[in-house]
Amino acid sequence: VVPAPDTLIDSAHRRSAAYGLRPDSVADYTPLSRSELAILLERNHALYRHATPVMESLYEQIIHTHHMVVLTDASGAILHTIGDADFMEKADRVALSPGVAWSEQSKGTNAIGTAIAEQSATVIHAGQHYLSANHFLTCSAAPIFDARSEEHTSELQSRLHLVCRLL
């Protein structure tokens, strides 16, 4: 059963507060070092290789619409981004770039982190983001599961994330 959006947002905000964040908190936008990012990309090489053509195809459908496509690992660390140049500049303000963590623990309620926590597709619109710095974003994220996990259950592997700005 997928919780109602208000319930989902309320739960995500409670988790964000429990992590010690406040809506006016300044998020940690520090990316991984180059060597740490290289290790992360190597660990996720197969995912990256398979997801990149899908990301490019999706981006071709939304080009010039002030959107970007983001791929993260299962913890919410950004692996790859594609987007319109003007939006990518704005995305840099909130560190939507490779090597930056977007878990709820680090950024509060956001589509990437909330999709991780809820294990389901998520849309977070403007003021639904926990951190006020992210209120200019509308984001959606969908988990990618590895159906070949050893326990014969689907294991969260990654997320494909679509970000658009408010006009």
Side-chain angles (χ1 to χ4, degrees):
V1 174
V2 175
D6 288 337
T7 304
L8 182 141
I9 299 302
D10 292 341
S11 296
H13 284 330
R14 282 192 298 277
R15 286 191 300 269
S16 298
Y19 295 132
L21 297 172
R22 294 184 331 270
D24 63 346
S25 293
V26 176
D28 179 8
Y29 294 133
T30 307
L32 295 173
S33 69
R34 283 186 166 188
S35 61
E36 291 169 323
L37 180 57
I39 291 167
L40 181 67
L41 290 172
E42 180 58 33
R43 261 194 317 235
N44 291 280
H45 177 73
L47 170 68
Y48 184 91
R49 188 184 66 217
H50 291 292
T52 299
V54 175
M55 293 175 69
E56 290 169 354
S57 176
L58 178 57
Y59 178 64
E60 287 174 12
Q61 297 172 48
I62 61 168
I63 196 166
H64 305 304
T65 62
H66 308 292
H67 289 72
M68 69 187 293
V69 182
V70 177
L71 178 69
T72 72
D73 72 357
S75 71
I78 296 177
L79 301 173
H80 184 53
T81 61
I82 303 173
D84 293 338
D86 64 332
F87 186 73
M88 298 296 277
E89 289 176 23
K90 291 192 182 296
D92 283 344
R93 276 196 340 222
V94 291
L96 279 164
S97 55
V100 178
W102 273 82
S103 64
E104 280 188 345
Q105 293 91 330
S106 65
K107 304 293 185 294
T109 305
N110 71 86
I112 295 170
T114 302
I116 293 168
E118 298 291 336
Q119 299 282 295
S120 66
T122 305
V123 175
I124 305 295
H125 176 66
Q128 292 176 328
H129 286 87
Y130 190 71
L131 298 183
S132 58
N134 297 332
H135 286 185
F136 76 101
L137 297 169
T138 293
C139 307
S140 60
I144 299 170
F145 292 96
D146 182 357
R148 300 173 297 149
S149 71
E150 294 177 16
E151 298 174 7
H152 304 290
T153 59
S154 294
E155 179 180 307
L156 181 66
Q157 183 172 359
S158 171
R159 243 141 331 295
L160 192 59
H161 180 58
L162 180 66
V163 181
C164 64
R165 73 174 177 180
L166 297 177
L167 300 176

